[in-house]
Amino acid sequence: MKKNKLSLLAIMAGTLLMGACQDDDNAPGNPVMNNVPTETINACFGDSLAFTINASDAEVPLSTLKAQLYFGEEMVSETVIRTKVSGEDYSGKIYVPFYKDIPDGTATLKYVLQNIHFTITEQTVNVSCTRPQYDHLVLVAEDGTQYNMPRTGQNQYAVTADFPQKLNAYILAPAYGTAGNDLTFGYGTDNAITEGSTTNIPFSNLEAGEYTVTFNTLTYEAGPFLTVNMNGQEFTQVDANTMKVETALEQGQAIAFEGVPNYDEWWIDPDFFNKAEDGTLTFAAISGNYRITADTENQYFKVEVLDGAMSDATLQADGTGALYIIGEYVGKPTVLNMPGWEPSKAICMAPIGNKVYQFTGVAGSDAANPAGKQIFSQQVNFKFYGSKGWDNEYKSDRMTTDSDLFIVNPGPNDDGNIHLADGVTLEDGATYVITVDMSDPAHAVMHAVKK
């Protein structure tokens, strides 16, 4: 009986001890922060604010110290520090974002200390944020040349110099004050100026020579940019080298391009535009929706057929729609701009009516020096697709030709690639017109003639 009493007492003692341990494990703790500023902190957008907080908890081990910056209700920046030892000073920095169109104002900096039982304590301090007024910015051109842009007004900077007609450059804002950081402004994925990018901004002027480049660090407004339009409709920027218009056009409609730099040097696609002796243009393809892309690097207007939803058109079951060329040794405005085997660069043939599609090119024998040549006279290797992709591929089972100049290659796998016929070399300087009749899309016929 005595042994049983001892056992019972031991169990009771263990239970009490376990309960005491469990009480300790479940204690919420009391995180405490010291050295938190009580007065408003002054900062500039783009600063990295340094802080040192003494963190402690006498009861429960600490977990993290967070510094969180809020613009209004939105947290815009956060720094997280692991707090392994109670009573230590923990230092860090929190970034004050540099955003477009955010006026000077007061932000909230919140410090949050948490222990391993998720008990937290918070303290906040106001941060008066202002936009830095730099002495100057730096315009960094594509070739590495740097131009100082002095401040000309509140948030406004400008430089006047002898620039090329097309100036690809980004903007550097040197670190401002002791807490500042170098900032860059370049093109973003939406083809608009954004902070944090060094992708070149496509500045452009109608002519090379002396002109002024401007930038506003509040609104991100900049210039100059060419204002190119077709029949009064302004092109929108796609990237550093291209602008586009998407619109409905009528066959025979007069076309006038304005604001195009060195317009007299641009190649005019004869498949889509008829050019009169006086230089005036009319639209040559059938009426419909089109995308006209002004390619300032290659100096030509790329034309593509769009469907009713203003998306890339595809070949329809009745033979209407669009037909594309993908491959080698043909290109617009020259064979140096051949699509290769990249569907996104496909050449859209001109729909000229009656379900017929056309490509016109001048032949040349020197593929490395193809001035004004759209087709290589020594060889070609391309094929037709019913979409701007790999869909609806035309092989020799659905495509034939009555031409003595070209063949539709059956190949060992019926690849359907178009090649020059055996022994054929195209005449240098001669113009060749290739058409595809899609009256019966299951039995397409390719024609080719020397003009």
Side-chain angles (χ1 to χ4, degrees), residues 331-349:
K332 292 182 178 183
T334 74
V335 295
L336 281 186
N337 197 40
M338 68 182 77
W341 301 105
E342 175 51 61
S344 66
K345 298 180 180 179
I347 299 170
C348 184
M349 300 182 73

Side-chain angles (χ1 to χ4, degrees), residues 310-322:
M310 305 302 279
S311 299
D312 291 317
T314 57
L315 187 67
Q316 302 300 299
D318 65 354
T320 61

Side-chain angles (χ1 to χ4, degrees), residues 94-271:
I94 186 165
Y95 182 64
V96 183
F98 195 108
Y99 289 153
K100 174 184 177 183
D101 292 331
I102 299 295
D104 296 349
T106 301
T108 302
L109 177 56
K110 180 186 293 186
Y111 294 104
V112 182
L113 180 62
Q114 177 179 302
N115 66 22
I116 63 172
H117 288 173
F118 304 102
T119 303
I120 65 172
T121 185
E122 298 181 357
Q123 294 189 49
T124 61
V125 60
N126 289 333
V127 181
S128 178
C129 298
T130 57
R131 195 162 296 266
Q133 299 301 312
Y134 300 95
D135 176 68
H136 70 280
L137 305 180
V138 180
L139 182 72
V140 184
E142 191 172 32
D143 63 1
T145 304
Q146 297 187 3
Y147 304 85
N148 278 356
M149 301 180 70
R151 182 160 61 91
T152 58
Q154 189 81 353
N155 304 309
Q156 190 68 37
Y157 303 83
V159 56
T160 301
D162 192 12
F163 292 120
Q165 181 272 319
K166 187 167 70 171
L167 174 66
N168 292 326
Y170 69 92
I171 294 169
L172 168 69
Y176 187 85
T178 58
N181 297 282
D182 287 350
L183 304 177
T184 59
F185 301 89
Y187 246 26
T189 55
D190 57 352
N191 296 319
I193 297 175
T194 185
E195 188 272 323
S197 171
T198 57
T199 300
N200 286 322
I201 304 165
F203 295 107
S204 54
N205 195 51
L206 190 58
E207 296 179 350
E210 186 176 283
Y211 60 88
T212 301
V213 176
T214 63
F215 181 62
N216 186 298
T217 54
L218 173 63
T219 64
Y220 294 5
E221 293 177 355
F225 299 106
L226 278 175
T227 302
V228 176
N229 67 72
M230 182 189 72
N231 293 0
Q233 185 173 355
E234 187 173 334
F235 282 71
T236 59
Q237 199 78 37
V238 176
D239 56 34
N241 297 311
T242 58
M243 297 171 280
K244 70 177 181 180
V245 161
E246 295 178 345
T247 189
L249 295 173
E250 297 289 329
Q251 190 170 40
Q253 177 181 350
I255 301 293
F257 295 105
E258 295 179 341
V260 180
N262 306 314
Y263 176 71
D264 291 341
E265 299 175 13
W266 282 47
W267 181 75
I268 302 299
D269 190 337
D271 291 315

